Amino acid sequence: MTTAGTAHDTSTRTGPAAARQHSLREHNLELVARAVFEVPEPLSRAGVAAATGLARATVSTLVDQLVAARLVRELPAVTGGRAGRPAVPLVPAPRSLVGLGLEVNVDYLGVRVLDLTGEVVADRVVPGAFHDSDPAVVLGRLGELAREVCDGVAAAGMTVAGARLALPGLVDPRTGLLEVAPNLGWSSLEPVGLLGLGELPVRIANEAKLAALAELAGGSDVAAPDSFVFVSGDVGIGAAIVVDRALFLGERGWNGEIGHVVVDPAGPRCSCGAFGCLEQYAGKAAMMRAAGLPPDAPLAALVERLADGGPGVPDSGGASADGALPAGRALGSALADFVNLLDVSTIVLGGAYTDLLPWLRADIEAVLADRVLAAPFVDLQVRAAQAGPQAALTGGAREVLQAVLADPAAWV
Ligand SMILES: [Zn+2]
């Protein structure tokens, strides 16, 4: 497996002037890389110079370095324009440096690899049942899966820049500690070492936060709004708050635990120890049970059951087949609290909710209309996520590549 080095050795700096010069070059490299990566149509060197305000000769040197480092690729020259000189369009290099997204969720393990163009070059999702599981065993299995994928990627000439591990719980990316993941039954552990991925730099993150970042990057149909609440519904339910295109993380990144918002204090006991949490009504296992399916049945079975009009179809305003609060009304209740507290007008539903939205929407919207004080004055939007299944894998891989783009000098 190829694991790339991290930052350049900076010990050759000889003094403040050299350090300044060094960091100016780093800054300019980032400017040039962003100019290439963040425009809709490829620029030539002259175009990059115009976009960045840097001298043409400086841009040319930096582009050469980015090409040599396999971050940027030159397309065949095109002739055109008034000057008539051929221009070489510059694009993010495909299948060179890649980012690795990893995930442990309650009912699957996932590994996804994205390249600098955003293409998915490898994708493995393995269903499982990891409720109250042994972290060493589960993370060991994920590590094996990751090694297999990385070996394939390396054999194809790609270099893995790093990885993000998405977890359904409270994580501290600074210390690498998972504080608690109630549905996995895990607490107070350092997951990265248990993956056994050696020198590969791996950072941990919350699943819903990474999925929201994937959503922010834009889907196929509708551009993501600048501010929204992203709700990721699986066995557990997590949320992420995006404000002005950035995650709002609270003090430690532990906000958004919408699955443990109480919707009925007299309700059933939750994996967190409290009673009547949203997860007990709108978590995937709860929705399966309400539909008369085994709690670990695949999502497709629930969709099929709902499409056939079977039990579990939330009947607006009333109870579900087994008398429990229907998922849509419970979700609407928790979301109404969010909207009342945060003043966001777009709610994006991801994970299992993306496919279930046709059966949830009416109840969610009815409760929002009832419970959100500002409802008569704002256009509250409830929409399906665009980022696709297991979006945290995509978000994690993208985060690795964003870090490369923020510091391309480390790769030159
Ligand atoms: Zn709970």
Side-chain angles (χ1 to χ4, degrees):
M1 178 174 82
T2 302
T3 62
T6 53
H8 240 40
D9 181 8
T10 52
S11 61
T12 50
R13 291 177 185 180
T14 52
R20 263 200 307 279
Q21 201 171 26
H22 190 67
S23 52
L24 180 64
R25 174 181 155 276
E26 287 173 358
H27 175 71
N28 288 342
L29 262 175
E30 183 191 346
L31 275 182
V32 170
R34 287 196 185 281
V36 172
F37 277 67
E38 294 176 354
V39 291
E41 294 297 325
L43 296 173
S44 64
R45 283 172 166 76
V48 171
T52 58
L54 296 171
R56 171 72 198 266
T58 306
V59 167
S60 225
T61 304
L62 296 173
V63 165
D64 288 344
Q65 292 173 354
L66 292 169
V67 169
R70 301 200 312 150
L71 269 70
V72 168
R73 174 171 291 181
E74 296 173 297
L75 294 179
V78 289
T79 312
R82 278 171 299 177
R85 278 192 301 177
V88 177
L90 303 166
V91 292
R95 296 178 174 246
S96 54
L97 271 187
V98 294
L100 182 65
L102 305 173
E103 182 175 4
V104 176
N105 215 310
V106 183
D107 54 2
Y108 65 88
L109 300 177
V111 178
R112 189 169 292 163
V113 179
L114 263 66
D115 73 4
L116 290 164
T117 71
E119 189 199 348
V120 176
V121 296
D123 195 21
R124 292 279 297 277
V125 175
V126 179
F130 306 115
H131 219 287
D132 293 323
S133 56
D134 180 340
V137 172
V138 175
L139 288 162
R141 275 181 62 187
L142 179 62
E144 272 172 40
L145 204 60
R147 272 195 301 279
E148 283 173 29
V149 169
C150 286
D151 286 348
V153 157
M158 294 176 249
T159 302
V160 179
R164 291 287 184 280
L165 169 60
L167 294 163
L170 300 185
V171 301
D172 189 340
R174 294 162 303 181
T175 60
L177 195 68
L178 170 70
E179 302 289 352
V180 63
N183 283 307
L184 296 174
W186 298 1
S187 61
S188 303
L189 65 99
E190 290 183 52
V192 171
L194 298 174
L195 290 168
L197 290 177
E199 296 300 307
L200 183 74
V202 184
R203 292 180 61 192
I204 61 173
N206 172 267
E207 175 270 330
K209 307 290 191 297
L210 289 179
L213 288 173
E215 187 70 18
L216 191 58
S220 50
D221 300 339
V222 188
D226 289 345
S227 300
F228 58 95
V229 169
F230 182 91
V231 184
S232 176
D234 269 290
V235 176
I237 308 168
I241 302 158
V242 175
V243 179
D244 294 335
R245 303 194 65 77
L247 283 176
F248 171 73
L249 291 170
E251 289 187 23
R252 298 166 197 82
W254 294 348
N255 65 7
E257 288 297 333
I258 191 172
H260 302 290
V261 168
V262 172
V263 294
D264 179 2
R269 187 155 198 145
C270 178
S271 62
C272 74
F275 290 89
C277 293
L278 177 63
E279 272 180 26
Q280 299 307 307
Y281 304 93
K284 204 161 90 183
M287 290 190 291
M288 292 293 175
R289 276 193 294 268
L293 293 165
D296 56 353
L299 180 64
L302 179 57
V303 170
E304 195 179 324
R305 179 66 60 96
L306 293 169
D308 291 345
V313 177
D315 55 340
S316 288
S320 65
D322 62 356
L325 187 64
R329 292 194 68 79
L331 192 53
S333 170
L335 286 170
D337 292 343
F338 253 67
V339 175
N340 276 325
L341 288 169
L342 293 174
D343 180 23
V344 286
S345 50
T346 304
I347 294 157
V348 179
L349 295 180
Y353 294 149
T354 304
D355 288 343
L356 297 175
L357 188 54
W359 295 281
L360 297 172
R361 179 185 291 282
D363 276 336
I364 293 172
E365 290 180 346
V367 177
L368 289 175
D370 276 354
R371 293 260 325 274
V372 173
L373 187 64
F377 317 110
V378 294
D379 181 20
L380 288 175
Q381 300 265 340
V382 178
R383 55 164 88 168
Q386 300 285 313
Q390 301 96 29
L393 291 174
T394 303
R398 281 185 51 86
E399 277 294 281
V400 171
L401 297 173
Q402 285 296 315
V404 170
L405 194 55
D407 185 22
W411 301 92
V412 166

